Amino acid sequence: MGVWQREIKILLLWLLVISILGVITGLFLPLLFLLTLGLLIRQVIQVTRFESWVSMGGKSRYPKTKGIWEEIYYHVYRIKKNEKRRKKKLSKIIDQFRQSTEALPDAAVVLGANDEIEWANKAAREVLGLQQSDKGQRIPNLIRFPEFIRYLRVGDYNESVTLPSPVNNRIILSVRIIAYGPGLRLLLAQDVTQLKKMERMRKDFVANVSHELRTPLTVLKGYLETLSDMDNGDSPLLTGSVQQMQGQTERMQHLVDDLLLLTHLETNQRKSECVDVPALLSQICNEGDVLQHVYKGRIQLTLEIDSHIFGEAHELRSAFTNLLGNALKYSPDNSVVKVRWYRSESSILLEVEDQGEGIGPADIPRVTERFYRVEVKRSKKVMGTGLGLAIVKHVLMRHDAVLNISSELGKGSCFRCCFPLSRQCG
Ligand code: ADP
């Protein structure tokens, strides 16, 4: 039987008793009043007991009672017990999480909405020099590198920022912030000293080798020119060999030049100025540039805007020449290559469009990698180093610009350099 049914049954029983007694004594109404009063007092006592039990936290076993009140006590007691179990489980998980993050080799700091430190692990105390007492302090007051403060302020956390450790400037840290909840962020700092060291060694090695190859190459080219001048055509073998060697030294010269340019882009500070891009494009496309000489009449230049770009003219020239060179190289000799300088709502763009062989979807993301060349059976032999688009990507990165490539095999390609409007200077 349900509790409510039992309660109602008891109430009805009381009413029956009162009615019988009322009929016998003729005092039905006073007896009914007494019954109601008794029931009310009982409920008030129960509510008071319940209130004092709940206000004590409802932790102890509930007082002995009967009927609906026992049911209420039991439900509240069960909810409290479950909650306690859940809390215990949760705090165990939190403890485990804290222990594991404490043992992490990377520094981890939890930041609040106002950049204040809420929690930091052992590695953070070691490499970032944070103390236990720094809890609640704003992190930009403790790590004062301008690039870090800018990173924190701008709030674009897709990239990481590289800084020296505030406690030992020989340790290089890659710092990244991850937003994970309303106003909450996790700062992770990884020691990348070895990685940076190796990267530097690689750059130095490539730069040194490229530089050292220049002199022997010049000597070789010189002798090959002399040999070519001396060749009177008597020996087809000699003529062919000299031509082959000249072609290969030319290719090597391009490789060395491209490698040196890439090293320069990776290491050197640029000297920015306001670059007259329309004039630069006209020069590359029309005014007797090397490209024009070979590919006469194929380039269609449209200058829709006169915008100048704040940047490095020499670097931009290299990037644009590479894009144009590729468009001409990888398309039929009689096809048109369209070059367009224009503006959209959010960018200033250079577009180089060809009707050439195109690039497959799987190759598009890879063509800007160093030395990546798409393997295609072509009717004509196309010379290249595989470094051109890597140079373009680097140059654009140094100008806060991005390269968009859209292409369809057999139809053609479109390379778009998108400069932010903030780069416009004239
Ligand atoms: P490469 O010296 O080989 O031209 P790049 O880095 O400039 O080196 O280009 C990488 C590869 O991307 C090229 O080998 C070519 O396969 C492909 N590629 C570049 N531009 C084009 C284009 N306009 N049309 C088709 N394929 C292209």
Side-chain angles (χ1 to χ4, degrees):
M1 199 195 305
V3 196
W4 275 111
Q5 277 167 313
R6 221 176 51 221
E7 289 282 312
I8 290 168
K9 224 171 163 184
I10 292 170
L11 196 66
L12 289 175
L13 217 69
W14 271 110
L15 274 175
L16 190 70
V17 172
I18 292 289
S19 309
I20 295 169
L21 281 176
V23 171
I24 296 169
T25 58
L27 294 168
F28 177 71
L29 278 178
L31 282 173
L32 188 66
F33 173 74
L34 274 177
L35 174 69
T36 317
L37 194 69
L39 287 175
L40 201 69
I41 290 170
R42 187 175 157 239
Q43 292 307 325
V44 169
I45 291 170
Q46 289 285 24
V47 169
T48 319
R49 276 169 77 192
F50 181 71
E51 195 272 334
S52 79
W53 179 73
V54 168
S55 64
M56 302 273 287
K59 284 182 204 141
S60 56
R61 187 87 201 157
Y62 51 86
K64 234 178 161 44
T65 180
K66 281 247 166 326
I68 190 72
W69 277 103
E70 187 182 14
E71 201 74 358
I72 293 171
Y73 273 114
Y74 172 71
H75 284 310
V76 174
Y77 179 71
R78 215 190 46 198
I79 290 168
K80 283 271 174 195
K81 213 168 162 188
N82 283 347
E83 197 185 311
K84 201 171 151 192
R85 205 175 306 138
R86 249 204 321 270
K87 247 187 192 162
K88 217 168 164 183
K89 206 165 147 192
L90 214 68
S91 71
K92 200 171 157 198
I93 293 173
I94 292 174
D95 275 353
Q96 277 173 353
F97 171 74
R98 288 218 162 153
Q99 274 167 14
S100 57
T101 39
E102 193 68 22
L104 269 180
D106 297 342
V109 184
V110 174
L111 297 176
N114 296 315
D115 302 332
E116 73 277 15
I117 299 170
E118 298 209 338
W119 176 83
N121 70 352
K122 189 165 155 247
R125 294 193 288 277
E126 281 168 11
V127 294
L128 296 173
L130 302 177
Q131 313 284 327
Q132 293 278 19
S133 54
D134 290 333
K135 201 172 162 193
Q137 291 256 33
R138 291 189 67 241
I139 200 155
N141 295 341
L142 303 168
I143 302 174
R144 305 181 73 102
F145 297 107
E147 55 270 50
F148 175 69
I149 293 174
R150 205 175 311 122
Y151 177 68
L152 208 60
R153 205 179 41 222
V154 172
D156 176 12
Y157 303 138
N158 290 324
E159 301 282 322
S160 56
V161 62
T162 308
L163 346 147
S165 154
V167 284
N168 179 354
N169 62 11
R170 273 187 302 197
I171 297 177
I172 310 291
L173 299 173
S174 166
V175 177
R176 172 125 202 235
I177 290 180
I178 298 146
Y180 67 94
L184 283 175
R185 284 156 302 156
L186 179 69
L187 178 148
L188 290 175
Q190 190 184 16
D191 184 344
V192 289
T193 317
Q194 285 304 319
L195 208 77
K196 289 279 162 196
K197 209 167 162 183
M198 278 168 67
E199 209 173 287
R200 194 186 187 98
M201 274 165 69
R202 175 192 59 85
K203 279 180 197 163
D204 287 351
F205 176 76
V206 172
N208 288 339
V209 169
S210 314
H211 196 76
E212 291 304 320
L213 278 174
R214 275 185 140 179
T215 319
L217 260 177
T218 317
V219 175
L220 266 176
K221 272 176 76 179
Y223 278 120
L224 282 171
E225 240 163 66
T226 317
L227 270 176
S228 171
D229 289 345
M230 283 165 58
D231 181 22
N232 50 15
D234 285 350
S235 162
L237 179 68
L238 180 73
T239 313
S241 306
V242 170
Q243 268 171 6
Q244 279 263 345
M245 283 194 281
Q246 276 182 318
Q248 289 304 323
T249 38
E250 195 70 33
R251 183 156 175 252
M252 212 155 155
Q253 180 81 55
H254 279 137
L255 250 169
V256 168
D257 289 347
D258 281 357
L259 278 173
L260 279 171
L261 180 58
L262 261 174
T263 314
H264 167 87
L265 291 173
E266 280 178 338
T267 48
N268 282 39
Q269 293 282 328
R270 78 213 110 167
K271 293 177 228 81
S272 293
E273 54 184 324
C274 196
V275 183
D276 184 349
V277 178
L280 183 67
L281 288 173
S282 304
Q283 205 182 20
I284 295 172
C285 298
N286 303 322
E287 291 167 16
D289 201 274
V290 202
L291 291 169
Q292 177 63 11
H293 183 67
V294 185
Y295 302 100
K296 212 170 169 64
R298 287 183 54 196
I299 307 165
Q300 222 175 66
L301 173 66
T302 316
L303 300 170
E304 290 179 16
I305 49 169
D306 186 35
S307 298
H308 296 197
I309 288 285
F310 190 66
E312 227 271 55
H314 176 68
E315 290 181 12
L316 289 174
R317 168 184 274 275
S318 286
F320 298 165
T321 311
N322 269 313
L323 286 179
L324 192 58
N326 280 350
L328 293 162
K329 270 195 308 189
Y330 298 109
S331 53
D333 288 342
N334 51 358
S335 66
V336 170
V337 169
K338 290 180 187 159
V339 180
R340 193 175 155 218
W341 181 236
Y342 67 105
R343 185 190 165 119
S344 76
E345 236 172 57
S346 55
S347 319
I348 297 179
L349 301 107
L350 170 76
E351 191 175 274
V352 179
E353 194 182 351
D354 64 57
Q355 299 154 4
E357 62 188 45
I359 309 167
D363 290 313
I364 291 181
R366 299 205 58 192
V367 287
T368 51
E369 285 173 20
R370 280 166 204 217
F371 298 111
Y372 190 83
R373 303 197 75 212
V374 184
E375 294 295 328
V376 183
K377 281 210 169 81
R378 301 182 177 99
S379 51
K380 58 178 180 179
K381 197 162 182 258
V382 180
M383 292 282 255
T385 60
L387 291 171
L389 290 179
I391 291 174
V392 174
K393 191 174 137 190
H394 253 86
V395 169
L396 294 187
M397 230 160 65
R398 280 161 68 94
H399 288 79
D400 308 320
V402 284
L403 178 67
N404 279 337
I405 308 171
S406 45
S407 188
E408 209 177 318
L409 275 177
K411 290 214 165 147
S413 313
C414 184
F415 288 76
R416 244 175 245 115
C417 309
C418 314
F419 294 90
L421 292 177
S422 55
R423 279 267 162 185
Q424 186 174 350
C425 56

